[in-house]
Amino acid sequence: MKKLNIALILSILLFPISVFAYSNSVILGGENVGIHIEMPGVMVIGFYKVNGSNSKSNPAIEVGDIITEVNGSKITKIDELTTEIERKIQNDQITLTVDRNGETIKTTLSLSKVDGIYKTGLYVKDSITGLGTISYIDPETKVYGALGHEILESTSGKLVEVKTGSIFESTVTSIRKSSNGTAGEKNADFNFNHIFGNIETNTNHGIFGIYEEDITGETIEVATKDEVKVGNASIYTVLCGKEKTEYEIEITNIQEYNDVKNITFEITDKDLINQTGGIVQGMSGSPIVQNGKIIGAVTHVIIDNPLTGYGIFITTMLENGDKIL
């Protein structure tokens, strides 16, 4: 009898269990938000010549490297980088510690003094600001998901790591329309003082964090992957001010085993086409609804035909949002 109990306990402990905390119903997104991320260091995004010499000649420094220390002192911002260079430069050189895809590398950088100011030859960035759309808010956990894809630094193409971040109020002021070969974009004013929530992680399935405002709005049931069908559906997004509006689309293909491009769709709503020319930047994260359930979120536009785009399954976003708890 004791042996049987031990075997039973072991089988329970070793059995793989997948339990997700997200709810069967969520608050439907569609609202535009400003996005701001502070990086855990200073990212190298390019090089410039100083006295005819280019720091790119240093093979130990690459675009996308995150500078985390100067001569042993930790830094996270550009002004800290500048201060430490001025304080600790020795023989016109500094020692940099950089993070490259999780690997720590130390290298020496030679500087040149121009008009009394030391020049590194490096273009750098310590934060990024943009515009996107909330896909959902889980009313049980207050976890939200937005964008449906990762945020990349535009020059380097590198994933932006999050030290701290926030989503905040934005107001759409105008639309630059898409055309074949060119993606348009939403233009917006930001209210940095009205913060809706934090950003805890930036992944290839979206950005996720905790929504800190009071949650309002009706819940909508979450559809499973096998409920998503070819046919009529709709997206919710903002094209003017803060007004969220429903627009018609047609789902043309479903790719269950693609990582993020699960749903292929075409915009059919004439009002949306007239205003935007198709899918535009800033629309990423707009929730997709079919048969009264949320099924996914807009992620990508097909540049050669901006009436056509891709979406990610909402369950994939919810599973990834659940990981921050």
Side-chain angles (χ1 to χ4, degrees):
M1 188 66 179
K2 289 183 178 179
K3 290 182 179 179
L4 179 61
N5 285 342
I6 292 172
L8 178 60
I9 291 170
L10 287 175
S11 68
I12 292 173
L13 292 176
L14 295 176
F15 190 81
I17 301 174
S18 295
V19 178
F20 296 106
Y22 67 79
S23 305
N24 292 326
S25 296
V26 296
I27 303 295
L28 182 70
E31 296 82 5
N32 261 106
V33 288
I35 297 167
H36 183 75
I37 294 176
E38 298 281 343
M39 303 177 191
V42 177
M43 178 183 282
V44 178
I45 62 171
F47 306 91
Y48 64 90
K49 289 184 177 181
V50 181
N51 293 333
S53 179
N54 196 325
S55 61
K56 191 175 182 179
S57 62
N58 185 334
I61 300 175
E62 296 182 1
V63 168
D65 285 349
I66 304 290
I67 302 171
T68 57
E69 294 183 9
V70 177
N71 287 357
S73 295
K74 295 186 180 299
I75 60 108
T76 59
K77 295 182 178 296
I78 293 173
D79 59 354
E80 294 173 350
L81 172 65
T82 304
T83 299
E84 289 302 320
I85 288 173
E86 293 290 343
R87 275 197 332 119
K88 296 190 174 182
I89 189 167
Q90 298 176 355
N91 300 321
D92 294 335
Q93 289 186 331
I94 55 172
T95 299
L96 298 180
T97 302
V98 304
D99 181 287
R100 182 182 302 154
N101 301 320
E103 180 184 0
T104 300
I105 298 170
K106 288 191 175 183
T107 184
T108 300
L109 180 68
S110 297
L111 306 183
S112 298
K113 203 167 190 177
V114 180
D115 298 328
I117 299 174
Y118 283 106
K119 300 290 187 180
T120 64
L122 306 176
Y123 288 116
V124 293
K125 181 182 290 186
D126 59 13
S127 64
I128 192 165
T129 301
L131 182 71
T133 303
I134 289 182
S135 306
Y136 71 89
I137 306 170
D138 189 318
E140 298 294 330
T141 63
K142 300 200 78 171
V143 171
Y144 76 85
L147 296 185
H149 61 70
E150 71 282 339
I151 296 176
L152 302 176
E153 197 285 313
S154 59
T155 306
S156 65
K158 297 286 186 176
L159 181 79
V160 176
E161 294 184 48
V162 180
K163 182 184 74 170
T164 60
S166 61
I167 57 171
F168 45 87
E169 182 181 27
S170 69
T171 303
V172 177
T173 56
S174 63
I175 302 287
R176 180 170 62 82
K177 297 175 69 172
S178 289
S179 58
N180 289 350
T182 304
E185 63 179 349
K186 297 181 182 183
N187 299 308
D189 288 335
F190 293 148
N191 181 359
F192 293 93
N193 294 320
H194 188 180
I195 294 174
F196 295 144
N198 69 355
I199 298 173
E200 296 202 7
T201 184
N202 173 30
T203 77
N204 65 334
H205 300 108
I207 61 171
F208 302 93
I210 303 298
Y211 198 81
E212 298 166 354
E213 289 268 284
D214 291 336
I215 297 176
T216 59
E218 296 182 1
T219 59
I220 184 171
E221 192 173 346
V222 173
T224 58
K225 295 176 183 178
D226 60 355
E227 290 182 279
V228 183
K229 308 296 182 184
V230 170
N232 295 333
S234 58
I235 64 172
Y236 288 77
T237 198
V238 175
L239 299 184
C240 182
K242 301 173 188 175
E243 183 180 357
K244 179 173 69 176
T245 304
E246 179 182 9
Y247 298 99
E248 295 176 355
I249 64 170
E250 180 81 11
I251 296 175
T252 58
N253 191 33
I254 300 163
Q255 304 173 79
E256 182 175 351
Y257 299 106
N258 193 296
D259 191 30
V260 294
K261 297 178 179 178
N262 306 124
I263 301 167
T264 306
F265 67 90
E266 181 178 351
I267 293 176
T268 56
D269 195 293
K270 295 188 184 304
D271 185 33
L272 180 57
I273 294 170
N274 289 337
Q275 292 188 68
T276 66
I279 303 163
V280 297
Q281 296 178 68
M283 202 178 283
S284 292
S286 299
I288 306 173
V289 173
Q290 186 179 56
N291 297 324
K293 296 183 178 182
I294 183 170
I295 65 169
V298 176
T299 58
H300 297 82
V301 59
I302 297 177
I303 299 295
D304 292 338
N305 180 11
L307 294 180
T308 304
Y310 296 109
I312 184 174
F313 286 136
I314 197 64
T315 49
T316 301
M317 291 188 70
L318 285 162
E319 289 167 7
N320 279 271
D322 187 41
K323 293 176 182 178
I324 73 173
L325 296 173

